[in-house]
Each structure stands twice: as structure tokens, then as C-alpha cells.
Amino acid sequence: MGTMINVALPKGRLGEKVYKMFEAAGYGCPDIFEGRKLIFESKDACVRYFWVKPSDVPIYVERGAADIGACGKDILLEYDPNVYELKDLGIGKCRMVVAAPKGFSDDSEYPLRVATKFVNIAQDYYASVGRDIDIIKLNGSIEIAPILGLSDVIVDIVETGTTLKENNLVVYEEIMDISARLIANRSGYNFKSAAVSELLGRLQEAQ
Ligand code: PRP
């Protein structure tokens, strides 16, 4: 048997797209979308997949529970894990933005109240533009914060723009473009380098 590669996939739409890329490259695993099981293995393809919460992917990879994983660049920038970034997968494209209610104008006499899941990204951004902020860490449904007066603006991900629009928010500033990345455990990348290189080559060919 060849070397088994352990892959952490983010649960949800992005993870499903990433899996399809792996399947097209010859790393298919029967029944992976069936039921509520979280670990799937194909001995023939020498691959084992784990479905994990997107922000946990780098934790599995950094600690070697997974050899490789896929996650958004936003998560890498926010958590700064000690992993190799192997490849931009060219999917999961979106933007990190500052959004605010229509007509918002920033009053520089006060710290700007910023609601976000991405505390480090927001702090780095506002440090780079020299603006004092009061950060409000939330875990989801960030768009509600300015509507309820909890914050002045939000720092969040925009993909189609629908969530902003339906909550009467507009993009106020662009912070960066985001896409999904393939990451690898640092030591696993060395001792499983042949298997990981082959996988990378086959992904490239299948694209
Ligand atoms: C993300 C993001 C926005 C939405 C943007 O939320 O936080 O709410 O997607 O997508 P759109 O521009 O296509 O509307 P996610 O689904 O990750 O949920 P959460 O932030 O509430 O956890």
C-alpha cells in the first residue's frame, strides 16, 4: 500500500468543491457525502478525509492530525498557523471588506466601533491606516451589529453581496481579496513529500 494522506476539508460548500477537485485528480472516496459520518477513507486511493469546521482546518494541519487541508486565506491571515501554504486553489473567491449602513460617515473624533469575526485582520488593517478602533468580536451574523447600533461598521467577507444588500449595508472600504488555499503540515510535508508532490501534480493536471 502507498502512503496514506490525511486531508482536512472544511465542512460546507467550499469543502465540497475542494473534494470534487481531489476526486477529479483520482482521490475519490465512496459515500463521502452520505450520512453524518465525519471521516472517510479510500485504501485504493490512499487518502483519508475529515470534515471539520472551516476555522479548525489549520489546527488539524499544524498539529499533524491532517497532512494537508483546505481553507480560506482569511483563516490563515487571522490565525497565522505554522503550516506550508502549497497552492491557491482558485476557488472560494471573495473579498474582505469594511461595510457600513448607507450614508455612514466616519467621525475621527471617536474610536470606530468595528464588529467582526476577524479581529486580527481588522486590527492590522486599521493599524495600517492609523485609525483608532474599538473592536467587538462576534461569531456570526455580523451584519446585524450596525443595524442595532452595536457597532459603526463591520469587517467581514463578501461573496455575492446578497447578505449586505438584504441588510441595507454597503461596502465602505476594500481590505483584500480572498481565495481557498491548500496547506500542509511542515514535518508531514517532508516525510510524506513523495505522496504530497504526486497529489499536487495530479491536482494540477486535473485543473
Ligand atoms: C459569510 C459572511 C457573510 C456572507 C457573505 O457568512 O460572514 O455573512 O457569508 O456572503 P454573500 O456576500 O454571498 O451574501 P457565513 O455564511 O460564513 O456565516 P456567518 O458569518 O454568519 O457565520
PDB file of all heavy atoms in Angstrom, residues 126-159:
ATOM      1  N   TYR A 126      -6.699  48.475  10.386  1.00  0.00           N
ATOM      2  CA  TYR A 126      -6.858  49.830  10.930  1.00  0.00           C
ATOM      3  C   TYR A 126      -5.546  50.390  11.462  1.00  0.00           C
ATOM      4  O   TYR A 126      -5.338  51.611  11.422  1.00  0.00           O
ATOM      5  CB  TYR A 126      -7.982  49.861  11.974  1.00  0.00           C
ATOM      6  CG  TYR A 126      -9.339  49.858  11.300  1.00  0.00           C
ATOM      7  CD1 TYR A 126     -10.131  48.725  11.279  1.00  0.00           C
ATOM      8  CD2 TYR A 126      -9.789  50.996  10.630  1.00  0.00           C
ATOM      9  CE1 TYR A 126     -11.361  48.725  10.627  1.00  0.00           C
ATOM     10  CE2 TYR A 126     -11.009  51.011   9.979  1.00  0.00           C
ATOM     11  CZ  TYR A 126     -11.793  49.870   9.973  1.00  0.00           C
ATOM     12  OH  TYR A 126     -12.990  49.882   9.311  1.00  0.00           O
ATOM     13  N   ALA A 127      -4.640  49.496  11.915  1.00  0.00           N
ATOM     14  CA  ALA A 127      -3.311  49.989  12.312  1.00  0.00           C
ATOM     15  C   ALA A 127      -2.595  50.545  11.075  1.00  0.00           C
ATOM     16  O   ALA A 127      -1.922  51.573  11.146  1.00  0.00           O
ATOM     17  CB  ALA A 127      -2.504  48.866  12.947  1.00  0.00           C
ATOM     18  N   SER A 128      -2.777  49.870   9.929  1.00  0.00           N
ATOM     19  CA  SER A 128      -2.082  50.301   8.710  1.00  0.00           C
ATOM     20  C   SER A 128      -2.603  51.642   8.192  1.00  0.00           C
ATOM     21  O   SER A 128      -1.884  52.362   7.500  1.00  0.00           O
ATOM     22  CB  SER A 128      -2.183  49.228   7.612  1.00  0.00           C
ATOM     23  OG  SER A 128      -3.457  49.274   7.003  1.00  0.00           O
ATOM     24  N   VAL A 129      -3.847  51.969   8.506  1.00  0.00           N
ATOM     25  CA  VAL A 129      -4.371  53.272   8.066  1.00  0.00           C
ATOM     26  C   VAL A 129      -4.388  54.289   9.212  1.00  0.00           C
ATOM     27  O   VAL A 129      -4.849  55.418   9.046  1.00  0.00           O
ATOM     28  CB  VAL A 129      -5.786  53.155   7.416  1.00  0.00           C
ATOM     29  CG1 VAL A 129      -5.724  52.317   6.145  1.00  0.00           C
ATOM     30  CG2 VAL A 129      -6.825  52.583   8.389  1.00  0.00           C
ATOM     31  N   GLY A 130      -3.898  53.867  10.383  1.00  0.00           N
ATOM     32  CA  GLY A 130      -3.762  54.784  11.518  1.00  0.00           C
ATOM     33  C   GLY A 130      -5.080  55.234  12.125  1.00  0.00           C
ATOM     34  O   GLY A 130      -5.227  56.386  12.534  1.00  0.00           O
ATOM     35  N   ARG A 131      -6.034  54.338  12.187  1.00  0.00           N
ATOM     36  CA  ARG A 131      -7.352  54.694  12.755  1.00  0.00           C
ATOM     37  C   ARG A 131      -7.549  53.925  14.055  1.00  0.00           C
ATOM     38  O   ARG A 131      -7.393  52.710  14.094  1.00  0.00           O
ATOM     39  CB  ARG A 131      -8.438  54.315  11.728  1.00  0.00           C
ATOM     40  CG  ARG A 131      -9.870  54.585  12.182  1.00  0.00           C
ATOM     41  CD  ARG A 131     -10.166  56.064  12.138  1.00  0.00           C
ATOM     42  NE  ARG A 131     -11.568  56.354  12.423  1.00  0.00           N
ATOM     43  CZ  ARG A 131     -12.049  56.702  13.635  1.00  0.00           C
ATOM     44  NH1 ARG A 131     -11.248  56.763  14.675  1.00  0.00           N
ATOM     45  NH2 ARG A 131     -13.324  56.990  13.776  1.00  0.00           N
ATOM     46  N   ASP A 132      -7.925  54.666  15.123  1.00  0.00           N
ATOM     47  CA  ASP A 132      -8.234  54.031  16.417  1.00  0.00           C
ATOM     48  C   ASP A 132      -9.554  53.295  16.323  1.00  0.00           C
ATOM     49  O   ASP A 132     -10.529  53.863  15.817  1.00  0.00           O
ATOM     50  CB  ASP A 132      -8.438  55.110  17.492  1.00  0.00           C
ATOM     51  CG  ASP A 132      -7.141  55.460  18.156  1.00  0.00           C
ATOM     52  OD1 ASP A 132      -6.159  54.720  17.950  1.00  0.00           O
ATOM     53  OD2 ASP A 132      -7.126  56.484  18.865  1.00  0.00           O
ATOM     54  N   ILE A 133      -9.569  52.068  16.860  1.00  0.00           N
ATOM     55  CA  ILE A 133     -10.841  51.335  16.816  1.00  0.00           C
ATOM     56  C   ILE A 133     -11.164  50.721  18.170  1.00  0.00           C
ATOM     57  O   ILE A 133     -10.291  50.526  19.017  1.00  0.00           O
ATOM     58  CB  ILE A 133     -10.842  50.219  15.733  1.00  0.00           C
ATOM     59  CG1 ILE A 133      -9.732  49.184  15.986  1.00  0.00           C
ATOM     60  CG2 ILE A 133     -10.751  50.800  14.346  1.00  0.00           C
ATOM     61  CD1 ILE A 133      -9.881  47.946  15.122  1.00  0.00           C
ATOM     62  N   ASP A 134     -12.444  50.399  18.306  1.00  0.00           N
ATOM     63  CA  ASP A 134     -12.927  49.630  19.453  1.00  0.00           C
ATOM     64  C   ASP A 134     -13.471  48.356  18.817  1.00  0.00           C
ATOM     65  O   ASP A 134     -14.460  48.392  18.086  1.00  0.00           O
ATOM     66  CB  ASP A 134     -14.031  50.459  20.123  1.00  0.00           C
ATOM     67  CG  ASP A 134     -14.751  49.703  21.220  1.00  0.00           C
ATOM     68  OD1 ASP A 134     -14.265  48.620  21.616  1.00  0.00           O
ATOM     69  OD2 ASP A 134     -15.810  50.198  21.668  1.00  0.00           O
ATOM     70  N   ILE A 135     -12.777  47.230  19.078  1.00  0.00           N
ATOM     71  CA  ILE A 135     -13.147  46.010  18.366  1.00  0.00           C
ATOM     72  C   ILE A 135     -14.220  45.241  19.138  1.00  0.00           C
ATOM     73  O   ILE A 135     -14.155  45.140  20.361  1.00  0.00           O
ATOM     74  CB  ILE A 135     -11.895  45.152  18.094  1.00  0.00           C
ATOM     75  CG1 ILE A 135     -12.107  44.230  16.908  1.00  0.00           C
ATOM     76  CG2 ILE A 135     -11.486  44.322  19.281  1.00  0.00           C
ATOM     77  CD1 ILE A 135     -11.425  44.642  15.692  1.00  0.00           C
ATOM     78  N   ILE A 136     -15.216  44.749  18.424  1.00  0.00           N
ATOM     79  CA  ILE A 136     -16.284  43.956  19.033  1.00  0.00           C
ATOM     80  C   ILE A 136     -16.267  42.597  18.349  1.00  0.00           C
ATOM     81  O   ILE A 136     -16.640  42.481  17.182  1.00  0.00           O
ATOM     82  CB  ILE A 136     -17.651  44.640  18.851  1.00  0.00           C
ATOM     83  CG1 ILE A 136     -17.610  46.035  19.487  1.00  0.00           C
ATOM     84  CG2 ILE A 136     -18.768  43.791  19.442  1.00  0.00           C
ATOM     85  CD1 ILE A 136     -18.631  46.995  18.944  1.00  0.00           C
ATOM     86  N   LYS A 137     -15.801  41.600  19.069  1.00  0.00           N
ATOM     87  CA  LYS A 137     -15.669  40.262  18.468  1.00  0.00           C
ATOM     88  C   LYS A 137     -17.012  39.545  18.499  1.00  0.00           C
ATOM     89  O   LYS A 137     -17.614  39.372  19.559  1.00  0.00           O
ATOM     90  CB  LYS A 137     -14.613  39.483  19.264  1.00  0.00           C
ATOM     91  CG  LYS A 137     -14.701  37.973  19.158  1.00  0.00           C
ATOM     92  CD  LYS A 137     -13.838  37.440  18.043  1.00  0.00           C
ATOM     93  CE  LYS A 137     -13.713  35.922  18.150  1.00  0.00           C
ATOM     94  NZ  LYS A 137     -14.077  35.168  17.010  1.00  0.00           N
ATOM     95  N   LEU A 138     -17.502  39.158  17.313  1.00  0.00           N
ATOM     96  CA  LEU A 138     -18.725  38.354  17.217  1.00  0.00           C
ATOM     97  C   LEU A 138     -18.374  37.039  16.530  1.00  0.00           C
ATOM     98  O   LEU A 138     -17.294  36.904  15.946  1.00  0.00           O
ATOM     99  CB  LEU A 138     -19.805  39.096  16.416  1.00  0.00           C
ATOM    100  CG  LEU A 138     -20.329  40.405  17.017  1.00  0.00           C
ATOM    101  CD1 LEU A 138     -21.319  41.064  16.049  1.00  0.00           C
ATOM    102  CD2 LEU A 138     -20.995  40.175  18.369  1.00  0.00           C
ATOM    103  N   ASN A 139     -19.298  36.106  16.554  1.00  0.00           N
ATOM    104  CA  ASN A 139     -19.014  34.788  15.967  1.00  0.00           C
ATOM    105  C   ASN A 139     -19.838  34.466  14.726  1.00  0.00           C
ATOM    106  O   ASN A 139     -19.665  33.409  14.126  1.00  0.00           O
ATOM    107  CB  ASN A 139     -19.219  33.703  17.027  1.00  0.00           C
ATOM    108  CG  ASN A 139     -18.255  33.894  18.169  1.00  0.00           C
ATOM    109  OD1 ASN A 139     -17.042  33.807  17.983  1.00  0.00           O
ATOM    110  ND2 ASN A 139     -18.763  34.220  19.334  1.00  0.00           N
ATOM    111  N   GLY A 140     -20.725  35.366  14.337  1.00  0.00           N
ATOM    112  CA  GLY A 140     -21.540  35.139  13.144  1.00  0.00           C
ATOM    113  C   GLY A 140     -22.607  36.212  13.059  1.00  0.00           C
ATOM    114  O   GLY A 140     -22.716  37.055  13.973  1.00  0.00           O
ATOM    115  N   SER A 141     -23.376  36.195  11.951  1.00  0.00           N
ATOM    116  CA  SER A 141     -24.435  37.197  11.737  1.00  0.00           C
ATOM    117  C   SER A 141     -23.941  38.617  12.041  1.00  0.00           C
ATOM    118  O   SER A 141     -24.641  39.421  12.665  1.00  0.00           O
ATOM    119  CB  SER A 141     -25.668  36.897  12.608  1.00  0.00           C
ATOM    120  OG  SER A 141     -26.152  35.617  12.317  1.00  0.00           O
ATOM    121  N   ILE A 142     -22.738  38.917  11.568  1.00  0.00           N
ATOM    122  CA  ILE A 142     -22.073  40.186  11.879  1.00  0.00           C
ATOM    123  C   ILE A 142     -22.883  41.383  11.374  1.00  0.00           C
ATOM    124  O   ILE A 142     -22.855  42.464  11.957  1.00  0.00           O
ATOM    125  CB  ILE A 142     -20.669  40.237  11.203  1.00  0.00           C
ATOM    126  CG1 ILE A 142     -19.922  38.900  11.305  1.00  0.00           C
ATOM    127  CG2 ILE A 142     -19.829  41.389  11.742  1.00  0.00           C
ATOM    128  CD1 ILE A 142     -19.543  38.490  12.675  1.00  0.00           C
ATOM    129  N   GLU A 143     -23.612  41.151  10.263  1.00  0.00           N
ATOM    130  CA  GLU A 143     -24.335  42.250   9.607  1.00  0.00           C
ATOM    131  C   GLU A 143     -25.344  42.928  10.524  1.00  0.00           C
ATOM    132  O   GLU A 143     -25.740  44.077  10.286  1.00  0.00           O
ATOM    133  CB  GLU A 143     -25.053  41.729   8.351  1.00  0.00           C
ATOM    134  CG  GLU A 143     -24.127  41.325   7.210  1.00  0.00           C
ATOM    135  CD  GLU A 143     -23.553  39.922   7.355  1.00  0.00           C
ATOM    136  OE1 GLU A 143     -23.843  39.235   8.364  1.00  0.00           O
ATOM    137  OE2 GLU A 143     -22.775  39.515   6.475  1.00  0.00           O
ATOM    138  N   ILE A 144     -25.786  42.225  11.545  1.00  0.00           N
ATOM    139  CA  ILE A 144     -26.789  42.794  12.447  1.00  0.00           C
ATOM    140  C   ILE A 144     -26.206  43.930  13.299  1.00  0.00           C
ATOM    141  O   ILE A 144     -26.918  44.858  13.680  1.00  0.00           O
ATOM    142  CB  ILE A 144     -27.340  41.693  13.388  1.00  0.00           C
ATOM    143  CG1 ILE A 144     -28.129  40.674  12.584  1.00  0.00           C
ATOM    144  CG2 ILE A 144     -28.216  42.282  14.475  1.00  0.00           C
ATOM    145  CD1 ILE A 144     -28.618  39.517  13.426  1.00  0.00           C
ATOM    146  N   ALA A 145     -24.915  43.861  13.604  1.00  0.00           N
ATOM    147  CA  ALA A 145     -24.307  44.766  14.597  1.00  0.00           C
ATOM    148  C   ALA A 145     -24.559  46.249  14.305  1.00  0.00           C
ATOM    149  O   ALA A 145     -25.027  46.971  15.192  1.00  0.00           O
ATOM    150  CB  ALA A 145     -22.829  44.461  14.750  1.00  0.00           C
ATOM    151  N   PRO A 146     -24.273  46.742  13.081  1.00  0.00           N
ATOM    152  CA  PRO A 146     -24.515  48.172  12.864  1.00  0.00           C
ATOM    153  C   PRO A 146     -25.998  48.533  12.817  1.00  0.00           C
ATOM    154  O   PRO A 146     -26.376  49.659  13.155  1.00  0.00           O
ATOM    155  CB  PRO A 146     -23.852  48.461  11.507  1.00  0.00           C
ATOM    156  CG  PRO A 146     -23.482  47.168  10.919  1.00  0.00           C
ATOM    157  CD  PRO A 146     -23.611  46.090  11.947  1.00  0.00           C
ATOM    158  N   ILE A 147     -26.826  47.572  12.445  1.00  0.00           N
ATOM    159  CA  ILE A 147     -28.266  47.841  12.394  1.00  0.00           C
ATOM    160  C   ILE A 147     -28.792  48.100  13.808  1.00  0.00           C
ATOM    161  O   ILE A 147     -29.631  48.973  14.029  1.00  0.00           O
ATOM    162  CB  ILE A 147     -29.026  46.648  11.761  1.00  0.00           C
ATOM    163  CG1 ILE A 147     -28.557  46.437  10.325  1.00  0.00           C
ATOM    164  CG2 ILE A 147     -30.534  46.856  11.824  1.00  0.00           C
ATOM    165  CD1 ILE A 147     -29.063  45.153   9.705  1.00  0.00           C
ATOM    166  N   LEU A 148     -28.270  47.374  14.766  1.00  0.00           N
ATOM    167  CA  LEU A 148     -28.738  47.517  16.153  1.00  0.00           C
ATOM    168  C   LEU A 148     -27.951  48.560  16.933  1.00  0.00           C
ATOM    169  O   LEU A 148     -28.165  48.735  18.123  1.00  0.00           O
ATOM    170  CB  LEU A 148     -28.645  46.162  16.868  1.00  0.00           C
ATOM    171  CG  LEU A 148     -29.484  45.048  16.258  1.00  0.00           C
ATOM    172  CD1 LEU A 148     -29.356  43.780  17.082  1.00  0.00           C
ATOM    173  CD2 LEU A 148     -30.955  45.447  16.161  1.00  0.00           C
ATOM    174  N   GLY A 149     -26.981  49.208  16.268  1.00  0.00           N
ATOM    175  CA  GLY A 149     -26.187  50.222  16.958  1.00  0.00           C
ATOM    176  C   GLY A 149     -25.098  49.645  17.854  1.00  0.00           C
ATOM    177  O   GLY A 149     -24.504  50.350  18.662  1.00  0.00           O
ATOM    178  N   LEU A 150     -24.833  48.346  17.691  1.00  0.00           N
ATOM    179  CA  LEU A 150     -23.748  47.718  18.463  1.00  0.00           C
ATOM    180  C   LEU A 150     -22.386  48.174  17.947  1.00  0.00           C
ATOM    181  O   LEU A 150     -21.424  48.273  18.700  1.00  0.00           O
ATOM    182  CB  LEU A 150     -23.892  46.190  18.360  1.00  0.00           C
ATOM    183  CG  LEU A 150     -22.837  45.316  19.020  1.00  0.00           C
ATOM    184  CD1 LEU A 150     -22.870  45.500  20.535  1.00  0.00           C
ATOM    185  CD2 LEU A 150     -23.071  43.840  18.691  1.00  0.00           C
ATOM    186  N   SER A 151     -22.307  48.430  16.633  1.00  0.00           N
ATOM    187  CA  SER A 151     -21.049  48.900  16.046  1.00  0.00           C
ATOM    188  C   SER A 151     -21.348  49.959  14.989  1.00  0.00           C
ATOM    189  O   SER A 151     -22.502  50.131  14.593  1.00  0.00           O
ATOM    190  CB  SER A 151     -20.289  47.734  15.400  1.00  0.00           C
ATOM    191  OG  SER A 151     -20.919  47.350  14.189  1.00  0.00           O
ATOM    192  N   ASP A 152     -20.267  50.660  14.548  1.00  0.00           N
ATOM    193  CA  ASP A 152     -20.424  51.608  13.439  1.00  0.00           C
ATOM    194  C   ASP A 152     -20.308  50.880  12.109  1.00  0.00           C
ATOM    195  O   ASP A 152     -21.041  51.163  11.166  1.00  0.00           O
ATOM    196  CB  ASP A 152     -19.328  52.686  13.512  1.00  0.00           C
ATOM    197  CG  ASP A 152     -19.379  53.446  14.825  1.00  0.00           C
ATOM    198  OD1 ASP A 152     -20.467  53.953  15.159  1.00  0.00           O
ATOM    199  OD2 ASP A 152     -18.338  53.514  15.512  1.00  0.00           O
ATOM    200  N   VAL A 153     -19.333  49.964  12.033  1.00  0.00           N
ATOM    201  CA  VAL A 153     -19.063  49.245  10.786  1.00  0.00           C
ATOM    202  C   VAL A 153     -18.822  47.776  11.119  1.00  0.00           C
ATOM    203  O   VAL A 153     -18.706  47.405  12.293  1.00  0.00           O
ATOM    204  CB  VAL A 153     -17.812  49.814  10.052  1.00  0.00           C
ATOM    205  CG1 VAL A 153     -17.991  51.273   9.696  1.00  0.00           C
ATOM    206  CG2 VAL A 153     -16.538  49.606  10.880  1.00  0.00           C
ATOM    207  N   ILE A 154     -18.709  46.958  10.045  1.00  0.00           N
ATOM    208  CA  ILE A 154     -18.286  45.565  10.230  1.00  0.00           C
ATOM    209  C   ILE A 154     -17.087  45.309   9.324  1.00  0.00           C
ATOM    210  O   ILE A 154     -16.914  45.980   8.291  1.00  0.00           O
ATOM    211  CB  ILE A 154     -19.408  44.549   9.898  1.00  0.00           C
ATOM    212  CG1 ILE A 154     -19.827  44.630   8.415  1.00  0.00           C
ATOM    213  CG2 ILE A 154     -20.622  44.790  10.794  1.00  0.00           C
ATOM    214  CD1 ILE A 154     -20.793  43.527   7.984  1.00  0.00           C
ATOM    215  N   VAL A 155     -16.261  44.366   9.713  1.00  0.00           N
ATOM    216  CA  VAL A 155     -15.241  43.821   8.814  1.00  0.00           C
ATOM    217  C   VAL A 155     -15.652  42.384   8.583  1.00  0.00           C
ATOM    218  O   VAL A 155     -15.746  41.597   9.527  1.00  0.00           O
ATOM    219  CB  VAL A 155     -13.829  43.913   9.433  1.00  0.00           C
ATOM    220  CG1 VAL A 155     -12.838  43.048   8.651  1.00  0.00           C
ATOM    221  CG2 VAL A 155     -13.353  45.359   9.442  1.00  0.00           C
ATOM    222  N   ASP A 156     -15.963  42.061   7.323  1.00  0.00           N
ATOM    223  CA  ASP A 156     -16.483  40.717   7.049  1.00  0.00           C
ATOM    224  C   ASP A 156     -16.208  40.336   5.602  1.00  0.00           C
ATOM    225  O   ASP A 156     -15.745  41.151   4.797  1.00  0.00           O
ATOM    226  CB  ASP A 156     -17.989  40.669   7.346  1.00  0.00           C
ATOM    227  CG  ASP A 156     -18.488  39.243   7.616  1.00  0.00           C
ATOM    228  OD1 ASP A 156     -17.646  38.325   7.762  1.00  0.00           O
ATOM    229  OD2 ASP A 156     -19.715  39.053   7.664  1.00  0.00           O
ATOM    230  N   ILE A 157     -16.576  39.090   5.315  1.00  0.00           N
ATOM    231  CA  ILE A 157     -16.405  38.557   3.970  1.00  0.00           C
ATOM    232  C   ILE A 157     -17.637  38.827   3.128  1.00  0.00           C
ATOM    233  O   ILE A 157     -18.764  38.666   3.619  1.00  0.00           O
ATOM    234  CB  ILE A 157     -16.161  37.046   4.094  1.00  0.00           C
ATOM    235  CG1 ILE A 157     -14.701  36.816   4.449  1.00  0.00           C
ATOM    236  CG2 ILE A 157     -16.531  36.304   2.852  1.00  0.00           C
ATOM    237  CD1 ILE A 157     -14.421  35.410   4.811  1.00  0.00           C
ATOM    238  N   VAL A 158     -17.403  39.228   1.893  1.00  0.00           N
ATOM    239  CA  VAL A 158     -18.495  39.403   0.943  1.00  0.00           C
ATOM    240  C   VAL A 158     -18.234  38.494  -0.239  1.00  0.00           C
ATOM    241  O   VAL A 158     -17.130  38.500  -0.798  1.00  0.00           O
ATOM    242  CB  VAL A 158     -18.547  40.860   0.424  1.00  0.00           C
ATOM    243  CG1 VAL A 158     -19.619  40.993  -0.649  1.00  0.00           C
ATOM    244  CG2 VAL A 158     -18.857  41.797   1.551  1.00  0.00           C
ATOM    245  N   GLU A 159     -19.245  37.708  -0.587  1.00  0.00           N
ATOM    246  CA  GLU A 159     -19.076  36.873  -1.766  1.00  0.00           C
ATOM    247  C   GLU A 159     -19.985  37.401  -2.869  1.00  0.00           C
ATOM    248  O   GLU A 159     -19.532  38.066  -3.790  1.00  0.00           O
ATOM    249  CB  GLU A 159     -19.367  35.407  -1.421  1.00  0.00           C
ATOM    250  CG  GLU A 159     -18.995  34.460  -2.554  1.00  0.00           C
ATOM    251  CD  GLU A 159     -19.290  33.009  -2.240  1.00  0.00           C
ATOM    252  OE1 GLU A 159     -19.686  32.698  -1.094  1.00  0.00           O
ATOM    253  OE2 GLU A 159     -19.137  32.180  -3.161  1.00  0.00           O
TER     254      GLU A 159
END
